[in-house]
Amino acid sequence: MVRVTVFALFVILLAGCKEDPPPSGLPLINFKSGAYTKDGDEVPVGGKLLFGIAASGGGAPITNLRVQRIADDKVITEIDRGLFITEGGLNEDLSAVKSSAEVELWRFFVMNANRDSAVISLTVFLGEGSAYGPIKHFTSLKMGMQNNSELPHFLDTNTGELYTNQSVAGHEALIDVLGFVYLTGGKMSPTLSCPQYTSVPGHYPIVGDWTVRNSTLYDYSAVDNDLVNPSDFDNATNDSLLVASYNPQSASGNCKYCYTGKIVPFRTEAGKYGLIRVIHADEVPEGYMELEIKVQE
Amino acid sequence: MKTKFLGIAAISFLLAFCFTGCKKDDPEPKNIVKLGAQANTSVGGFLSVSEKKVYTMQEAFQNQEKIDIFCFYEEGVNNIAIAGPGTGIDGIFTGDAAPQNWDVKNLTRFTKPTVDLTVADFDALKDGDAIIETYFNAEQTSGYKKAKDLKINDIYTFKTEGNIFGIIKVTAVQQGETGFVEFEYKLK
């Protein structure tokens, strides 16, 4: 009798525990007003594009932001980022550089946890002349691998300054690049990475405690296939090559096989494009990398 | 005896477990405000957006720097409308405490949203969403000092003198000097 009562109660209570339906609102997305690139703007090749967008999840968390540039019949996904924004919605400023395409259609897409989506777009036309910008050139920066106790490990590409495990305290938000060596694909790989990359605290435990962990994206395809010509790198005096070399569709926060001689296109969290030439790369954790860097001012 | 005890214990455990598991989240409270027009003696007509508080005109006079929006009625074009103390409206309110006599007159700007927003869109917004600011038309250079002839489901955006951005949806209106407007608002 008792068993029957318990079973009946269980069934009744579970049936009463009906889950609320998910919020039914659709996400909303809109351009911010201010000094942003607007629909119909004409921008010369190399000119800066700045997009301000804000979005609401429509009562559900925002889970995805995707930004695409459609030019010359090609769709280039510039950003495809997983998110989980429950409060305040999305508020983003996104920078890019105008390509040589006559017309670029930019699409900004958000999706919420209910898989409902919203999209806005604008068109940018090619303006007269060019607007390639100046660059900084750091000719030699020596950065220790994870077990190197002599050289600093953490690089600010904006200034070319390197920080040790001690001196980086208070400067974590400036760090874009770090390096380590590990075994992957059966080979020891000198690797360029960034604070936000998930496996980095395994090599540098202190990074796991940083409150700001920047993401730098490296174009690994350009590295694997040697797409940047060394003499072009030598001759680069503005950011034309830096911007053109970087393909967002083959970018990762971790760039393996950065052996001596490789040239690595990258883009920092602040949106600056750059090229790293690996002058020297050891293949042991006690070793170091020597880097030559050209980066947008 | 032992079986009975175990049975009672099992039932108690199940009840505790199931009722705890059934707990629902509290719905997010809405900011709904009712503002009376100049001759409405039962509903205050002056809103402090930063405080989310309604004042009577006498109280508002003592707290001028906090007041961002008031309701007024003017037959014809404006009917039931809302504006900020800095809008320069004169001859509607009377007495020493009338807004035209204030030392601090905050200007609140009102615009239609920059894109078409439905009531469902408004309802989908959450208080605090960054997108709310984007609906305010910062490039509008005239006709922004009041939201007039308000009707149910009208949607307006506003920006206070203190740079608080908000969006309102009118939920009730009663015309006349003793009338009122009720609206829901969400702030960035």
Side-chain angles (χ1 to χ4, degrees), chain A:
Chain A
M1 184 60 190
V2 170
R3 283 184 192 163
V4 172
T5 309
V6 170
F7 180 72
L9 259 173
F10 189 74
V11 170
I12 289 165
L13 290 171
L14 277 189
C17 227
K18 198 177 172 188
E19 200 176 309
D20 287 339
S24 56
L26 297 175
L28 299 163
I29 184 168
N30 199 18
F31 292 113
K32 297 197 279 185
S33 62
Y36 297 104
T37 305
K38 293 180 176 58
D39 189 36
D41 276 359
E42 293 184 4
V43 180
V45 61
K48 190 175 181 187
L49 305 174
L50 183 63
F51 305 109
I53 57 166
S56 163
I62 297 173
T63 54
N64 180 238
L65 167 68
R66 192 159 69 235
V67 180
Q68 292 177 316
R69 181 198 317 237
I70 301 160
D72 296 335
D73 297 326
K74 286 184 199 155
V75 179
I76 300 163
T77 300
E78 298 279 341
I79 294 171
D80 191 355
R81 190 188 304 158
L83 306 164
F84 197 79
I85 301 175
T86 55
E87 293 296 327
L90 177 80
N91 186 7
E92 286 268 342
D93 287 354
L94 307 164
S95 63
V97 173
K98 181 71 184 75
S99 74
S100 59
E102 287 292 331
V103 181
E104 289 182 3
L105 175 67
W106 284 82
R107 297 177 75 235
F108 304 86
F109 166 100
V110 288
M111 188 166 68
N112 69 13
N114 298 333
R115 302 193 67 78
D116 290 319
S117 59
V119 65
I120 49 173
S121 61
L122 59 75
T123 303
V124 183
F125 297 98
L126 184 65
E128 295 280 322
S130 69
Y132 286 118
I135 58 174
K136 295 174 185 174
H137 185 194
F138 305 111
T139 54
S140 172
L141 300 169
K142 287 186 178 174
M143 187 172 73
M145 301 300 193
Q146 67 268 41
N147 291 346
N148 185 315
S149 55
E150 304 291 321
L151 291 169
H153 300 112
F154 306 113
L155 173 61
D156 171 5
T157 57
N158 193 43
T159 61
E161 190 157 352
L162 282 149
Y163 295 87
T164 65
N165 287 11
Q166 289 72 42
S167 66
V168 76
H171 304 283
E172 296 90 343
L174 303 175
I175 304 306
D176 308 302
V177 171
L178 50 84
F180 52 81
V181 172
Y182 73 119
L183 183 65
T184 175
K187 292 189 284 189
M188 291 303 282
S189 164
T191 300
L192 288 169
S193 194
C194 64
Q196 195 184 90
Y197 197 73
T198 47
S199 67
V200 164
H203 303 287
Y204 295 101
I206 62 164
V207 176
D209 297 328
W210 293 2
T211 52
V212 179
R213 293 171 61 182
N214 287 329
S215 167
T216 298
L217 294 173
Y218 304 93
D219 181 352
Y220 55 83
S221 176
V223 176
D224 292 346
N225 299 298
D226 295 319
L227 297 183
V228 182
N229 187 313
S231 63
D232 290 344
F233 177 88
D234 288 334
N235 295 329
T237 54
N238 62 33
D239 63 359
S240 168
L241 181 70
L242 283 57
V243 172
S245 301
Y246 179 84
N247 181 353
Q249 302 204 99
S250 56
S252 166
N254 200 56
C255 192
K256 300 189 281 189
Y257 311 127
C258 293
Y259 296 111
T260 299
K262 291 287 186 181
I263 298 178
V264 188
F266 69 93
R267 188 174 191 227
T268 68
E269 177 135 353
K272 293 194 174 181
Y273 293 87
L275 289 170
I276 296 173
R277 173 151 61 187
V278 182
I279 299 171
H280 171 87
D282 284 326
E283 296 172 34
V284 291
E286 295 76 21
Y288 72 96
M289 293 176 112
E290 184 179 0
L291 310 174
E292 179 180 3
I293 297 181
K294 292 187 174 182
V295 63
Q296 285 180 317
E297 274 191 9

Side-chain angles (χ1 to χ4, degrees), chain B residues 82-123:
Chain B
I82 52 175
T87 195
I89 286 173
D90 201 355
I92 300 287
F93 297 90
T94 55
D96 292 343
Q100 63 265 29
N101 300 321
W102 293 8
D103 296 324
V104 182
K105 298 175 186 173
N106 289 330
L107 177 65
T108 298
R109 294 167 177 246
F110 300 87
T111 76
K112 286 283 190 183
T114 51
V115 296
D116 287 338
L117 279 186
T118 64
V119 168
D121 290 338
F122 176 91
D123 293 342

